[in-house]
Amino acid sequence: MELDGARETRPQEGSSLPGEWSPSALGQAFSKILHCLTGQETRLGKARDAALKDLGSLIEDTECERLFEGSGAPLRGVPEILGQVAKALEKYAAPPKEEDGRAEAHSQVAEKATEVGLLFLKLLGKVEASKNSLGCPEWKTSLRHLAGPIYIFAVTHSLEQPWTSPRSREVAREVLTSLLQVTECGSVAGFLHGENEDEKGRFTMIMGLLKPDLNKESWKNNPAIKHVFSWTLQQVTRPWLNQHLERILPPSLLISDDYQTENKILGVHCLHHIVLNVPAADLLQYNRAQVLYHAIFNHLYTPEHHLIQVVLLCLLDLFPVLEKAQQWKGDGARPTTHCDEVLQLILTHMEPEHRLLLRRTYARHLPAFVKRLGILTVRHMKRLERVIIGYLEVYDGPEEEARLKILETLKLLMQHTWPRVSCRLVVLLKALLKLICDVARDQNLTPEPVKSALLQEATDCLILLDHCSQGQVKGLLANILHSCDDSKVVNCIRKVQQVSEGASFDGT
């Protein structure tokens, strides 16, 4: 593309350098470039390439005072047109739809991003130069229009994604660093929520730019949008996030409600961040906490261990918020809680589960549920007993994560519900002794430190079981010492007897 059409409007006869153009001529030049960047016709492909080259020349050759001066431009100021050009550049470098995400398409996106990033660096360099020039106060207006699109571009291409390359990520990170420098922000968080209480920040503006691409019909048109939204959201924490709740909650719910596991996980991460950084009073208002709970709870029916992991972490942090709305007045039984409901479903899924990764994920979070419910865990004793015994019987691989977590759960269960433990003495004692014998004779690749940890945890459980049963365990184990020839098993039994005979034990 040639800039001759714009040069026809230059004010002085014979002037040919962009630095000598009037704001009107600059406005027309940028408008022509904008038209080439936003045109949909296939024939504009070469014109776009020429427009990018002309834009680079225009930025380089135009003096700062001319580049950001907008008082004489027709229809709208040059700063606003520059903002529109920045938006067009960001869209130009955006990755294609997911179904179009072929390897060659991704390499083209990375090339475009590198080219656009270098243009943004030139533009930000001009803004920085204008800051240091007393004769160009208009740079602030231009920066207001430029900051949002440049930020979205930088985040889109600085994260490691299929559409990025090492070079495009390097350029995008340079753009983000330059943007923070120009805006005088020490961090991305400061850029978004303001460096101090008096500064407004740019989070609202960024969310406004993302909003058209974050509705039900359009959010999959650009696969980068969900990552830009999620990453940006997680930069803003207390006490700034609650004022943006109406902007951030709907997109987070939308992403988490997708059929793809990857999107569900990303959406739950967003919802978890909201739960952690928005006051409970705001979440309880308008029944938002219940909406969050039901949206997250439904994911428990999906047998994907990565998803279950993030869902359970989120629910454990949501329970205190939900329980603030429940008031127990002390007259009658305590009402069942959301934690009860989730634990009941987890135990239902755990009993028949045979996939090791899911078993580990469930077992990993079981102690937290027992801690949360405390004495109220007695409501789930029968099912917990079946799960504990069933999981202690199954070898879980070299790290034995599931069995270690189940032993931790059993310890907590006995500590919180000890009056109900003595009637289960025989069943629990058999399960623990079987585990100790299995571990002691284990010829698998289980490392010795893991075996030692299992034996120690099982021994601690036996000691607790003895306390809960008023010393019955010690009596039942007495005869085993005379008939057992395994030193590891004997050592565990002696520890139980020694502690039961008067030595202190930290677990009680």
Side-chain angles (χ1 to χ4, degrees), residues 49-63:
D49 295 338
L52 291 173
K53 291 180 181 178
D54 288 339
L55 178 60
S57 300
L58 197 59
I59 294 171
E60 284 181 352
D61 297 338
T62 306
E63 296 176 0

Side-chain angles (χ1 to χ4, degrees), residues 245 292 302 332 399:
L245 192 53
L292 280 169
T302 306
E399 299 304 318

Side-chain angles (χ1 to χ4, degrees), residues 269-318:
H269 275 304
C270 294
L271 294 174
H272 194 184
H273 183 77
I274 292 172
V275 169
L276 291 174
N277 291 281
V278 173
D282 291 308
L283 291 176
L284 292 171
Q285 195 175 22
Y286 306 123
N287 220 25
R288 292 185 186 113
Q290 285 290 343
V291 172
L292 280 169
Y293 172 72
H294 289 296
I296 300 167
F297 179 84
N298 289 335
H299 292 314
L300 289 173
Y301 292 96
T302 306
E304 297 285 346
H305 69 279
H306 290 304
L307 177 60
I308 297 296
Q309 167 76 13
V310 297
V311 164
L312 291 179
L313 287 173
C314 185
L315 285 171
L316 284 166
D317 286 320
L318 183 59

Side-chain angles (χ1 to χ4, degrees), residues 30 33-39 48 52 55 81-94 116 120 149:
F30 282 124
I33 291 171
L34 181 61
H35 174 73
C36 288
L37 292 174
T38 55
R48 283 198 192 100
L52 291 173
L55 178 60
I81 299 176
L82 266 177
Q84 294 297 324
V85 170
K87 285 183 184 178
L89 289 172
E90 183 268 315
K91 298 293 183 188
Y92 171 74
V116 169
F120 280 147

Side-chain angles (χ1 to χ4, degrees), residues 152-181:
I152 293 173
F153 164 84
V155 177
T156 298
H157 298 281
S158 61
L159 306 176
E160 189 162 350
Q161 296 293 346
W163 56 83
T164 65
S165 66
R167 176 57 179 159
S168 68
R169 288 194 293 272
E170 179 186 359
V171 172
R173 287 165 186 163
E174 287 179 17
V175 170
L176 187 57
T177 301
S178 180
L179 179 62
L180 295 179
Q181 180 180 337

